[in-house]
């Protein structure tokens, strides 16, 4: 499946996939849809060498995306990246998340990344299961740190050392 670096022209599709995940209250802490303008600064923080934003595109349609982002924003953490995976609703359950996560794990060391982190809501069982299948382990459990429509939700931080992968 073709993965490529995202371009600014891809941002509307990236935002559409992201916004489609908001109503489920399973994936993101955003409570209302975001705009392309809202996400432009986030997009511009990515670069193809150390913090890429990838899209999975097939038949001229973006089916999903994966981003590598800085963890904590201080130089001592440069070898650690948070990854986020979003799959279009119509494409979920087809193995695209597994594919993107495999590619991220394999590519990370060449980008100078030794550690990958996933920040996942405790009630998001499909995402937790995905990361656990790839030998991520629970490194932190932050109880009731998110309030989604009056429901307090936990955040689980999963981590994996990829230096020797």
């Amino acid at each position: 499946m073709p993965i490529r670096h995202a371009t600014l022209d891809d941002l509307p599709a990236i935002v559409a996939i992201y916004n489609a995940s908001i109503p489920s209250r399973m994936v993101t802490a955003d409570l209302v849809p975001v705009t392309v303008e809202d996400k432009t600064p986030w997009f511009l923080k990515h670069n193809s060498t150390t913090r890429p934003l990838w899209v999975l595109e097939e038949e001229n349609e973006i089916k999903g995306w994966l981003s590598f982002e800085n963890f904590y924003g201080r130089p001592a953490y440069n070898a650690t990246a948070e990854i986020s995976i979003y799959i279009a609703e119509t494409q979920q359950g087809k193995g695209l998340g597994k594919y993107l996560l495999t590619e991220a794990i394999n590519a990370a060391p060449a980008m100078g990344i030794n550690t990958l982190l996933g920040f996942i809501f405790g009630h998001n069982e499909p995402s937790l299961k995905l990361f656990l299948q790839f030998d991520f382990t629970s490194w932190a459990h932050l109880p009731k740190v998110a309030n989604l429509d009056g429901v307090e939700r936990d955040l689980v931080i999963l981590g994996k050392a990829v230096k020797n992968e």
Side-chain angles (χ1 to χ4, degrees):
M1 290 182 221
I3 294 175
R4 63 173 174 77
H5 293 286
T7 67
L8 202 51
D9 290 338
D10 298 321
L11 194 52
I14 291 167
V15 167
I17 291 169
Y18 182 81
N19 282 340
S21 76
I22 293 173
S24 73
R25 301 301 195 247
M26 291 277 293
V27 182
T28 178
D30 276 316
L31 301 175
V32 297
V34 298
T35 66
V36 170
E37 293 76 26
D38 294 334
K39 290 303 255 183
T40 299
W42 165 84
F43 177 90
L44 295 174
K45 289 180 183 176
H46 291 86
N47 67 70
S48 61
T49 55
T50 62
R51 294 296 185 266
L53 173 58
W54 294 340
V55 292
L56 194 154
E57 182 179 32
E58 194 172 53
E59 299 173 3
N60 296 318
E61 180 184 347
I62 294 176
K63 311 265 183 179
W65 56 269
L66 181 143
S67 71
F68 291 81
E69 296 183 60
N70 288 335
F71 167 73
Y72 208 59
R74 296 205 173 98
Y77 299 109
N78 284 348
T80 299
E82 177 189 350
I83 55 174
S84 298
I85 300 171
Y86 286 81
I87 306 297
E89 284 183 311
T90 60
Q91 303 302 310
Q92 293 174 7
K94 297 181 179 183
L96 302 183
K98 288 180 185 179
Y99 179 69
L100 284 168
L101 189 51
T102 298
E103 294 299 309
I105 291 167
N106 291 337
M111 292 186 275
I113 297 170
N114 297 333
T115 305
L116 292 173
L117 300 174
F119 288 58
I120 303 170
F121 283 135
H123 65 287
N124 185 346
E125 292 181 21
S127 291
L128 290 170
K129 181 180 174 185
L130 171 65
F131 278 69
L132 292 171
Q133 285 177 350
F134 284 85
D135 297 324
F136 281 74
T137 57
S138 180
W139 287 2
H141 180 194
L142 307 174
K144 299 180 181 182
V145 295
N147 187 316
L148 302 173
D149 302 324
V151 179
E152 292 178 323
R153 295 296 190 172
D154 300 352
L155 181 68
V156 178
I157 300 174
L158 299 178
K160 179 179 178 75
V162 293
K163 184 175 183 178
N164 297 318
E165 289 287 313

